[in-house]
Amino acid sequence: MRISVLGGDGYCGWATALHLSARGHSVAIIDNFIRRQWDHELGVQTLTPIRPLAERLRVWQQLTGRHIELFSGDVSDYEFLASTIESFEPDSVVHFAEQRSAPYSMIDRKHAVSTQVNNVVGTLNLLFALRELQQDCHLVKLGSMGEYGTPNIDIEEGYIEIEHHGRRDVLPLPKQPGSFYHLSEVHDSNNMMCACKIWGLRATDLNQGVVYGTMTDEVILDEALINRFDYDEVFGTVLNRFCVQAAVGHPLTVYGRGGQTRGFLDIRDTVKCVELACLNPAKPGECRVFNQFTEQFSVMEVAKLVQSAGRKLGLNVEIDHLPDPRVEKEEHYYSAKHSKLVDLGLHPHYLSDSLLDSLLNIAIEYRDQVDPSLFLPQVNWRNASNKRERQPLVPEAAFAAKA
Amino acid sequence: MRISVLGGDGYCGWATALHLSARGHSVAIIDNFIRRQWDHELGVQTLTPIRPLAERLRVWQQLTGRHIELFSGDVSDYEFLASTIESFEPDSVVHFAEQRSAPYSMIDRKHAVSTQVNNVVGTLNLLFALRELQQDCHLVKLGSMGEYGTPNIDIEEGYIEIEHHGRRDVLPLPKQPGSFYHLSEVHDSNNMMCACKIWGLRATDLNQGVVYGTMTDEVILDEALINRFDYDEVFGTVLNRFCVQAAVGHPLTVYGRGGQTRGFLDIRDTVKCVELACLNPAKPGECRVFNQFTEQFSVMEVAKLVQSAGRKLGLNVEIDHLPDPRVEKEEHYYSAKHSKLVDLGLHPHYLSDSLLDSLLNIAIEYRDQVDPSLFLPQVNWRNASNKRERQPLVPEAAFAAKA
């Protein structure tokens, strides 16, 4: 199958592109490297030393004989995006090419606007390109479980049957996203639903949970293929950040009471879910929704799992409760369905001691690279504008200040 | 009360600005005149000869002694928008400054993208400006009943209590908009809901029905104050368009079977509803939703009302069924609530013979200005790109071609 991976240089995109290539699909990566630019803007770095994409692709080809095509450019540029569709003629387009950090979108007005414009325009461009050039191509769009917020009812996979005043309909599940980033994903989802209805496009909207881990069967093959491992407060997902904090002896930074419950999944399941969606496309006119996660945990549960795994490795892991910089419920009902990908054949990698050991060991391996000043939240949802004033600290001073 | 009217040079905005001024409020208009530019782009004109805004405002002041302040600029330009808030210090901001035509947004990709970017960025800018500069100001945002689509259940005013698997929550009513314009309004609504929650802003989201009429107590005072009367397929609302068609002897252009049912209101009620919302502001943190219409009709019912009123004036009014250029249900359940504005004191002007007479008489008065080539739909929802190739026809040829 011919599959374009938009955003294939990013955290999930890179692992997915390699997995699809390893499985024998013809893969093209479309990327403009803006994710690397955001690192420079924020003064942050992935813990793991990722290589330039050209080198990654060269090594992949040397190791496996498999060629991944590369189109360098921005999906906000319609002529560029359309040219990749015309040239590569994909059967599926997997769309990771979005600004995906909630804190980034909440820095200030410019970051909120750029996040929404980038994400909405990119997805609109893609919908139009498919309609104009590749009508039968299946769009597999990465979204977020955060689109739903935390309703007091079960979270179905995208749609819900509602009975009201004696009448019934199956309608999109109401969404209450809590950041300008998550709002942009809701905008995309609504645009996609309409495009499928009016144009007969086929789409799968993957509402993904919080991803953890960095290794997959493919990135582990060579140091040059290593994936991102973000631990900063803006792009670092919570479990990865906790492991790095544990490795350097920094207290785990739980926001508020830590009762915030979310869906989680291993990056090895991300890549598998995307392939399953591609191999089992939506029907023409259908915009189906899969909730892409395997287990749900509260943030406090995640912290305790890391604490326990760290102690087994001889690490002294403390848990710190910071005032929650986000506006969210710190305790709430949460029960989200996630059976559709399992029905298609997903065998989840549940969060295990061995995975936590592996993550902690990666963090320990690269602990000299860790900048603890990146741990503490500097983006407060309640402010219209946040100054991210980093005060690079030597580790000892950082911990002393917190004691 | 100090009230800014964003988009105060447009159809609803102009009538509203005058009404608020007449009622003794201090009014500022913020506008960049892009609505007049769209006329030039599309090669269309309002039937009624509207004057430049500066002249309108001068005449208003001469007639009434009331001064309306004018800020010329684009709400997409944050520094400009913020400067108007700082300078005018409004108690309420009424936000009409959006691209509001569904067909315009469906012309092609560029029109879809420009509609969504313009509307989303303008509203985001406004939310940030209020948060930064005028936290207590009440945002009164015009949206559309079209945001809801046509669900098979009653349409509540914004929120619905859902019981699901034995649990309950009050959630935003699911929306299924059918055009890139209506989607942009849903994006705005979602952004507003979140901003109220995280920042404690106060907002009223007015989901307005199809507006008809052109005269209010204020615009009728002088020819120089006359309001827009759009009858073209892109910006003309359906009842206004039918009246113009009847006046020139063109068959009424019903799309499909005409069972499409929508909420309607007289522009005299638009201006009253907006004032009622301003006088009774939302609470801090509240994003309330009012369905702003007074009666619901199917398109076919509207056509028959115009036919009957036209015949009484001696007009020969035929009804033509064109293939529906939109993707929408031609027959469906429709029952939308609209009691909240009545509870605040709205006394609706229901659609009456005298109103239809008045509309038809305006159309007859200006019938020499009518360009019948603007009646026929040239934007088909099913196409990713529509060429609007106008073939200016002499009226006889136009009608012969249709016979």
Side-chain angles (χ1 to χ4, degrees):
Chain A
M1 174 167 243
R2 302 181 65 75
I3 307 178
S4 294
V5 180
L6 313 190
D9 189 46
Y11 170 51
C12 292
W14 173 240
T16 300
L18 288 191
H19 179 72
L20 294 172
S21 177
R23 299 272 298 166
H25 302 293
S26 294
V27 175
I29 285 178
I30 287 95
D31 209 297
N32 65 345
F33 310 109
I34 197 170
R35 177 66 191 84
R36 294 173 187 249
Q37 200 172 316
W38 291 326
D39 281 345
H40 291 297
E41 176 199 341
L42 299 171
V44 306
Q45 279 186 60
T46 157
L47 184 64
T48 46
I50 60 170
R51 306 288 173 88
L53 183 57
E55 183 182 342
R56 288 172 146 187
L57 295 178
R58 190 167 58 242
V59 171
W60 177 248
Q61 184 156 7
Q62 284 163 353
L63 283 173
T64 65
R66 298 188 187 278
H67 175 66
I68 295 178
E69 208 162 325
L70 171 60
F71 297 90
S72 295
D74 188 342
V75 299
S76 299
D77 172 353
Y78 182 74
E79 282 65 37
F80 162 74
L81 176 65
S83 74
T84 75
I85 304 278
E86 280 194 300
S87 150
F88 189 71
E89 297 185 335
D91 304 302
S92 295
V93 174
V94 183
H95 181 21
F96 288 102
E98 304 221 309
Q99 195 298 96
R100 61 100 181 141
S101 158
Y104 188 88
S105 75
M106 302 305 288
I107 292 175
D108 58 16
R109 186 190 66 81
K110 286 187 181 174
H111 289 81
V113 167
S114 70
T115 296
Q116 293 209 348
V117 170
N118 178 72
N119 294 0
V120 167
V121 173
T123 300
L124 280 176
N125 279 352
L126 185 51
L127 293 167
F128 274 89
L130 296 180
R131 175 69 185 88
E132 298 234 43
L133 303 166
Q134 195 83 350
Q135 170 81 35
D136 204 46
C137 177
H138 176 215
L139 169 57
V140 177
K141 160 76 171 54
L142 272 289
S144 169
M145 286 298 295
E147 295 180 42
Y148 295 116
T150 54
N152 193 42
I153 59 172
D154 292 349
I155 296 173
E156 300 294 329
E157 299 195 63
Y159 300 91
I160 183 173
E161 182 171 28
I162 296 178
E163 178 172 354
H164 184 55
H165 299 166
R167 302 185 62 86
R168 286 175 176 278
D169 202 353
V170 175
L171 295 169
L173 188 66
K175 291 180 169 178
Q176 300 176 104
S179 76
F180 290 116
Y181 156 67
H182 288 103
L183 283 155
S184 78
E185 295 282 13
V186 173
H187 305 343
D188 283 339
S189 296
N190 286 325
N191 284 341
M192 284 166 60
M193 264 189 281
C194 181
C196 289
K197 188 175 72 179
I198 62 178
W199 293 335
L201 295 180
R202 45 173 86 205
T204 301
D205 198 357
L206 297 174
N207 288 329
Q208 185 167 246
V210 182
V211 185
Y212 57 80
T214 184
M215 292 302 181
T216 62
D217 291 347
E218 294 80 27
V219 304
I220 209 168
L221 290 177
D222 192 283
E223 173 85 13
L225 302 178
I226 200 164
N227 199 359
R228 301 187 66 92
F229 192 136
D230 300 305
Y231 64 93
D232 62 281
E233 51 112 13
V234 174
F235 278 100
T237 54
V238 61
L239 177 55
N240 288 1
R241 190 175 73 237
F242 283 173
C243 287
V244 175
Q245 291 173 329
V248 300
H250 191 286
L252 311 187
T253 49
V254 169
Y255 297 163
R257 280 177 284 166
Q260 304 93 323
T261 302
R262 301 291 185 268
F264 286 76
L265 76 164
D266 188 307
I267 194 165
R268 291 174 292 176
D269 291 336
T270 292
V271 304
K272 193 69 201 167
C273 289
V274 170
E275 192 196 12
L276 287 169
C278 292
L279 292 175
N280 301 276
K283 293 188 287 286
E286 183 187 15
C287 184
R288 66 183 179 182
V289 180
F290 296 163
N291 291 346
Q292 179 168 312
F293 71 97
T294 61
E295 293 173 277
Q296 55 180 62
F297 298 104
S298 73
V299 171
M300 202 55 206
E301 285 169 336
V302 171
K304 284 184 175 159
L305 287 168
V306 172
Q307 185 176 50
S308 154
R311 283 179 176 164
K312 285 184 200 152
L313 293 177
L315 300 169
N316 175 30
V317 183
E318 289 180 15
I319 295 174
D320 211 355
H321 292 266
L322 308 183
D324 194 341
R326 307 184 177 208
V327 178
E328 61 188 358
K329 292 185 190 140
E330 294 181 18
E331 304 284 348
H332 57 88
Y333 179 76
Y334 198 81
S335 174
K337 302 296 170 64
H338 52 108
S339 62
K340 290 189 180 177
L341 284 158
V342 171
D343 292 345
L344 291 180
L346 176 68
H347 299 289
H349 294 84
Y350 293 113
L351 183 56
S352 63
D353 285 352
S354 63
L355 185 278
L356 284 167
D357 282 359
S358 141
L359 267 179
L360 284 165
N361 281 320
I362 293 168
I364 291 168
E365 181 182 348
Y366 293 101
R367 74 201 302 176
D368 293 345
Q369 306 298 319
V370 174
D371 176 354
S373 75
L374 301 178
F375 291 146
L376 299 183
Q378 298 203 45
V379 179
N380 188 323
W381 262 229
R382 292 162 189 85
N383 301 333
S385 180
N386 291 279
K387 270 226 175 75
R388 291 188 68 261
E389 287 183 4
R390 289 182 49 223
Q391 298 142 325
L393 300 171
V394 290
E396 297 72 28
F399 307 154
K402 299 205 50 58
Chain B
M1 167 169 247
R2 301 180 66 76
I3 307 179
S4 294
V5 180
L6 312 190
D9 189 44
Y11 170 52
C12 292
W14 174 239
T16 301
L18 288 191
H19 179 73
L20 295 172
S21 177
R23 300 273 298 165
H25 302 292
S26 294
V27 175
I29 285 179
I30 287 94
D31 209 296
N32 65 345
F33 311 109
I34 196 169
R35 176 66 192 85
R36 294 173 186 247
Q37 201 172 314
W38 290 326
D39 282 345
H40 292 296
E41 175 199 342
L42 298 171
V44 306
Q45 279 186 61
T46 157
L47 184 63
T48 45
I50 60 170
R51 306 289 172 89
L53 183 57
E55 183 182 343
R56 290 171 145 187
L57 295 179
R58 192 168 55 242
V59 172
W60 177 248
Q61 185 156 8
Q62 284 162 353
L63 284 173
T64 65
R66 299 187 187 279
H67 175 67
I68 294 178
E69 209 163 325
L70 170 60
F71 297 89
S72 297
D74 188 342
V75 299
S76 299
D77 172 353
Y78 182 74
E79 282 65 37
F80 162 74
L81 176 65
S83 74
T84 75
I85 304 280
E86 279 194 302
S87 150
F88 189 71
E89 297 185 333
D91 303 304
S92 294
V93 174
V94 183
H95 180 21
F96 289 102
E98 304 221 311
Q99 195 299 96
R100 62 102 181 140
S101 159
Y104 187 89
S105 76
M106 303 304 290
I107 292 174
D108 58 15
R109 187 190 65 82
K110 286 187 181 173
H111 289 82
V113 168
S114 70
T115 297
Q116 293 210 349
V117 170
N118 179 72
N119 294 1
V120 167
V121 173
T123 300
L124 279 177
N125 279 352
L126 185 51
L127 293 167
F128 275 87
L130 296 180
R131 174 69 184 90
E132 298 234 43
L133 303 165
Q134 196 83 350
Q135 169 82 35
D136 204 46
C137 178
H138 176 214
L139 167 58
V140 177
K141 160 75 172 54
L142 273 290
S144 169
M145 285 299 294
E147 296 180 40
Y148 295 116
T150 53
N152 193 42
I153 58 171
D154 292 348
I155 296 174
E156 300 294 330
E157 299 195 64
Y159 300 90
I160 184 173
E161 181 170 29
I162 296 180
E163 178 171 355
H164 185 57
H165 298 166
R167 302 184 61 88
R168 286 176 176 278
D169 202 353
V170 176
L171 296 169
L173 189 65
K175 291 181 168 177
Q176 298 177 104
S179 76
F180 290 117
Y181 156 67
H182 288 104
L183 282 156
S184 78
E185 295 282 13
V186 173
H187 305 343
D188 282 340
S189 296
N190 285 325
N191 283 341
M192 284 165 61
M193 263 190 281
C194 181
C196 288
K197 188 175 70 178
I198 62 177
W199 292 335
L201 295 180
R202 43 173 87 205
T204 301
D205 199 357
L206 297 174
N207 288 328
Q208 187 168 243
V210 182
V211 185
Y212 58 79
T214 182
M215 291 303 180
T216 61
D217 291 346
E218 295 80 27
V219 304
I220 209 168
L221 290 177
D222 192 283
E223 174 85 13
L225 302 179
I226 200 164
N227 199 0
R228 302 187 66 92
F229 192 136
D230 300 305
Y231 63 92
D232 62 281
E233 50 115 12
V234 174
F235 278 99
T237 54
V238 61
L239 178 55
N240 288 1
R241 190 176 73 236
F242 283 173
C243 287
V244 175
Q245 290 172 330
V248 300
H250 190 287
L252 311 188
T253 49
V254 169
Y255 298 163
R257 280 177 284 165
Q260 304 92 322
T261 302
R262 301 291 185 267
F264 287 77
L265 75 164
D266 189 305
I267 194 166
R268 292 174 292 176
D269 291 336
T270 292
V271 305
K272 193 68 201 168
C273 289
V274 170
E275 192 196 10
L276 286 169
C278 292
L279 291 175
N280 301 276
K283 292 188 288 287
E286 184 187 14
C287 183
R288 64 182 181 185
V289 180
F290 296 162
N291 291 346
Q292 180 167 311
F293 72 97
T294 61
E295 293 174 277
Q296 55 180 63
F297 299 103
S298 72
V299 171
M300 202 55 205
E301 286 169 337
V302 171
K304 285 185 174 157
L305 287 168
V306 172
Q307 185 177 50
S308 154
R311 283 180 177 163
K312 285 184 202 151
L313 294 177
L315 300 169
N316 175 29
V317 184
E318 290 181 12
I319 295 174
D320 211 355
H321 292 266
L322 307 183
D324 194 341
R326 306 183 179 209
V327 178
E328 61 187 0
K329 291 186 190 139
E330 294 181 18
E331 304 285 347
H332 57 88
Y333 178 74
Y334 199 80
S335 175
K337 301 298 170 63
H338 52 108
S339 62
K340 290 189 182 178
L341 283 158
V342 171
D343 292 345
L344 291 181
L346 176 69
H347 299 288
H349 295 83
Y350 295 113
L351 183 56
S352 63
D353 286 352
S354 63
L355 186 277
L356 284 167
D357 283 359
S358 141
L359 267 178
L360 284 164
N361 281 320
I362 293 169
I364 291 167
E365 181 182 349
Y366 293 102
R367 73 202 303 175
D368 293 345
Q369 305 299 318
V370 174
D371 177 353
S373 75
L374 301 178
F375 290 147
L376 300 182
Q378 299 202 46
V379 180
N380 188 324
W381 262 229
R382 292 162 190 83
N383 301 333
S385 181
N386 291 279
K387 269 226 175 77
R388 291 187 68 259
E389 287 184 4
R390 291 183 46 222
Q391 298 141 327
L393 302 171
V394 290
E396 297 72 27
F399 306 155
K402 300 205 50 60

